[in-house]
């Protein structure tokens, strides 16, 4: 009964958004804001006098997976945008080097690193022609405008439009970086036909293999499917579902058989051949990168995403999803972490209801308190540090909202905290 009541409330909330006569406005506002950011990035990358334009150099030599590498570039791009420098990527030692350039459009139209110019190390100064930015793990001083900060000239509009503006902002950077070449668009269209991708569909990403060594815990297929079932039960309240489907992406190919065997009422969309290319041995091949792009693409196109946010790949799919919908901030279920950006400054909650502790594990809240968030336990409680009382502990998640953090990004040189 409680489950049914909960789903019916969720249905009412989503219906409200459909009948408030603002859905067209939301769509338009989201497109306008996206165009604004995409144009700014395009201008940044294609300055009229590029041989005098200030540049930010980002070397791609991190030894990690695709999601981790892409987020490294996103971080570089945020710093480039915030310091108004054209971003130049050094592909020389990059595992994806040539393959990447075959799949995606270049960041700039045929402009590269300036030759015979000295390169200053971060943070350099306003006059530095080229500044080299180290990876976020080593950057010092740390730029103040990294996530969870969003540019303040977008903040007001984004806060009205979107439930989690930081995801929207990062989604826009990813959107620019992953502009597909014509051949990639054809590849994705071919796969859509081959896999018979259609809605409704829930994207399920199950990360296993090397991730389980020390970075994440194992979750069974059934744990993911509970949330898929919930999604469809809620949909059924509106009488909309005639076939339940999941798009399955995983680096553990045997899960395709398990899913088909255990969930015969589901159409299992996805490719176990792609999954085979996700094994550690094959990951850096062109085949594997193409497969990965296909998986991320269809996960992001799904109606809802069930995955683990400890995986960068799952976070990327969610970021892209938020560049496709006016607001996709509730279209996910993470089995572990809350959404975060590696190397981010911090994430804050703000109390909207007061709370008195019921036991030694909880912390008090007063309306307006700011809480530095450690994580969500997904059982009704989050854990964090109340910045007023300095106490660390659990608090009911429904008594807080995300605190939107924005800052003026002046665009004239390097400002650091
Ligand atoms: P994380 O390690 O999960 O945080 O994400 P990364 O993207 O940094 O590294 C994971 C790597 O595993 C990816 O780059 C892929 O090569 C591979 N991989 C993991 N899950 C999948 C999947 O569902 N599909 C495909 N095609 N590859 C995957």
């Amino acid at each position: 009964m409680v489950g049914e009541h909960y789903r019916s409330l969720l249905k009412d909330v989503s219906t409200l958004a459909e009948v408030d006569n603002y859905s067209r406005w939301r769509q338009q506002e989201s497109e306008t804001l996206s165009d604004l950011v995409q144009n700014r990035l395009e201008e940044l990358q294609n300055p009229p006098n590029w041989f005098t334009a200030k540049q930010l150099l980002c070397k791609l030599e991190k030894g990690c997976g695709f999601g981790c590498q892409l987020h490294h570039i996103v971080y570089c791009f945020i710093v480039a945008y915030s310091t108004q420098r054209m971003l130049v990527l050094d592909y020389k030692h990059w595992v994806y080097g040539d393959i990447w350039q075959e799949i995606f459009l270049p960041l700039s139209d045929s402009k590269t690193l300036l030759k015979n110019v000295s390169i200053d190390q971060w943070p350099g100064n306003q006059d530095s022609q080229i500044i080299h930015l180290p990876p976020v793990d080593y950057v010092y001083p740390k730029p103040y405008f990294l996530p969870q900060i969003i540019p303040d000239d977008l903040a007001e509009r984004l806060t009205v439009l979107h439930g989690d503006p930081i995801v929207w902002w990062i989604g826009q950077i990813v959107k620019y970086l992953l502009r597909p070449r014509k051949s990639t668009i054809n590849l994705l269209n071919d796969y859509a036909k081959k896999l018979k991708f259609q809605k409704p569909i829930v994207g399920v990403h199950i990360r296993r293999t090397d991730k389980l060594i020390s970075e994440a815990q194992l979750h069974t297929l059934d744990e993911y499917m509970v949330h898929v079932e919930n999604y469809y039960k809620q949909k059924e309240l509106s009488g909309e579902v005639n076939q339940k489907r999941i798009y399955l992406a995983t680096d553990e190919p045997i899960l395709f058989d398990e899913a088909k065997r255990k969930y015969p009422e589901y159409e299992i969309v996805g490719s176990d051949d792609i999954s085979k290319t996700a094994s550690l041995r094959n990951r850096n091949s062109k085949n594997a990168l193409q497969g990965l792009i296909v998986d991320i693409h269809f996960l992001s196109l799904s109606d809802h995403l069930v995955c683990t946010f400890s995986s960068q790949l799952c976070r990327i799919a969610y970021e892209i999803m938020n560049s496709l919908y006016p607001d996709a901030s509730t279209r996910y279920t993470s089995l572990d972490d809350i959404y975060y950006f590696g190397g981010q400054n911090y994430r804050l909650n703000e109390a909207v209801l007061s709370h008195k502790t019921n036991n030694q594990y909880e912390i008090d809240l007063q309306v307006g308190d700011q809480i530095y968030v450690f994580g969500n336990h997904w059982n009704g409680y989050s854990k964090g540090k109340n910045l007023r009382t300095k106490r660390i502990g659990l608090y009911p998640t429904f008594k807080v909202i995300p605190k939107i953090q924005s800052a003026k990004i002046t665009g004239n040189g390097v400002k650091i905290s």
Side-chain angles (χ1 to χ4, degrees), residues 35-56 73-88 106-109 111-112 145 169 173 176-177 179 409-413:
D35 289 349
L36 180 77
V37 171
Q38 295 302 310
N39 289 339
R40 283 183 187 174
L41 296 176
E42 173 119 34
E43 278 169 23
L44 182 73
Q45 287 307 111
N46 296 288
N49 301 317
W50 78 270
F51 35 87
T52 55
K54 303 273 193 286
Q55 298 190 334
L56 186 80
I73 306 178
V74 170
Y75 144 77
C76 293
F77 218 170
I78 289 175
V79 176
Y81 177 91
S82 308
T83 55
Q84 284 298 287
R85 288 175 172 270
M86 174 185 163
L87 177 63
V88 181
L107 292 194
S108 306
D109 303 333
K111 296 169 189 83
T112 53
F145 37 68
W169 169 233
I173 309 264
Y176 188 90
L177 288 172
R179 289 167 312 150
I409 292 171
T410 55
N412 54 1

Side-chain angles (χ1 to χ4, degrees), residues 263-406:
Y263 298 92
E265 73 279 25
Y266 276 83
E267 225 173 75
I268 312 294
V269 183
S271 158
D272 51 354
D273 282 341
I274 289 183
S275 186
K276 284 174 195 151
T277 67
S279 71
L280 260 182
R281 226 166 350 107
N282 301 323
R283 272 184 197 164
N284 298 336
S285 67
K286 179 170 179 182
N287 237 358
L289 184 58
Q290 278 185 341
L292 187 50
I293 301 307
V294 170
D295 274 349
I296 291 176
H297 176 71
F298 290 115
L299 287 173
S300 71
L301 283 182
S302 301
D303 298 298
H304 191 87
L305 193 54
V306 181
C307 57
T308 45
F309 272 168
S310 58
S311 168
Q312 310 234 24
L313 201 148
C314 155
R315 299 205 301 277
I316 282 176
Y318 177 59
E319 287 154 6
I320 299 175
M321 188 185 230
N322 276 280
S323 72
L324 302 174
Y325 290 91
D327 179 5
S329 63
T330 55
R331 290 180 179 269
Y332 77 91
T333 307
S334 167
L335 269 57
D336 55 16
D337 294 341
I338 50 173
Y339 176 80
Y340 68 96
F341 186 84
Q344 70 185 21
N345 281 325
Y346 46 80
R347 190 171 182 101
L348 288 180
N349 275 169
E350 183 174 335
V352 285
L353 294 171
S354 62
H355 182 68
K356 275 250 150 286
T357 51
N358 294 304
N359 55 51
Q360 74 211 66
Y361 305 109
E362 296 182 10
I363 53 173
D364 282 333
L365 302 178
Q366 271 177 21
V367 174
D369 278 355
Q370 294 192 1
I371 304 115
Y372 180 118
V373 189
F374 297 163
N376 191 328
H377 288 204
W378 306 117
N379 61 356
Y381 283 94
S382 288
K383 186 171 182 185
K385 176 177 180 177
N386 186 327
L387 297 183
R388 178 179 57 83
T389 62
K390 310 280 183 276
R391 293 212 47 213
I392 293 175
L394 300 171
Y395 54 94
T397 312
F398 77 94
K399 296 195 173 184
V400 302
I401 53 170
K403 165 109 182 118
I404 312 298
Q405 303 174 66
S406 65

Side-chain angles (χ1 to χ4, degrees), residues 183-313:
S183 53
T184 310
I185 297 174
N186 293 340
L187 174 87
L188 296 173
N189 289 341
D190 288 348
Y191 262 101
K193 278 192 215 129
K194 192 165 124 191
L195 299 174
K196 300 197 180 73
F197 183 87
Q198 55 180 311
K199 296 195 169 195
I201 193 160
V202 176
V204 177
H205 175 237
I206 305 185
R207 182 74 165 96
R208 292 266 172 96
T209 63
D210 56 314
K211 192 76 179 175
L212 304 185
I213 297 171
S214 62
E215 292 180 31
Q217 283 186 348
L218 182 132
H219 294 279
T220 62
L221 173 66
D222 300 342
E223 287 177 76
Y224 292 80
M225 291 306 287
V226 167
H227 300 287
V228 175
E229 274 293 298
N230 276 343
Y231 175 82
Y232 281 114
K233 274 191 193 147
Q234 194 194 321
K235 271 245 145 201
E236 276 161 1
L237 290 180
S238 318
E240 293 166 33
V241 184
N242 40 38
Q243 173 64 57
K244 296 194 277 190
R245 278 180 209 95
I246 59 167
Y247 182 88
L248 180 59
T250 176
D251 55 340
E252 186 83 284
I254 50 163
L255 285 171
F256 278 88
D257 281 343
E258 185 180 337
K260 283 177 193 153
R261 189 166 29 84
K262 283 190 172 165
Y263 298 92
E265 73 279 25
Y266 276 83
E267 225 173 75
I268 312 294
V269 183
S271 158
D272 51 354
D273 282 341
I274 289 183
S275 186
K276 284 174 195 151
T277 67
S279 71
L280 260 182
R281 226 166 350 107
N282 301 323
R283 272 184 197 164
N284 298 336
S285 67
K286 179 170 179 182
N287 237 358
L289 184 58
Q290 278 185 341
L292 187 50
I293 301 307
V294 170
D295 274 349
I296 291 176
H297 176 71
F298 290 115
L299 287 173
S300 71
L301 283 182
S302 301
D303 298 298
H304 191 87
L305 193 54
V306 181
C307 57
T308 45
F309 272 168
S310 58
S311 168
Q312 310 234 24
L313 201 148

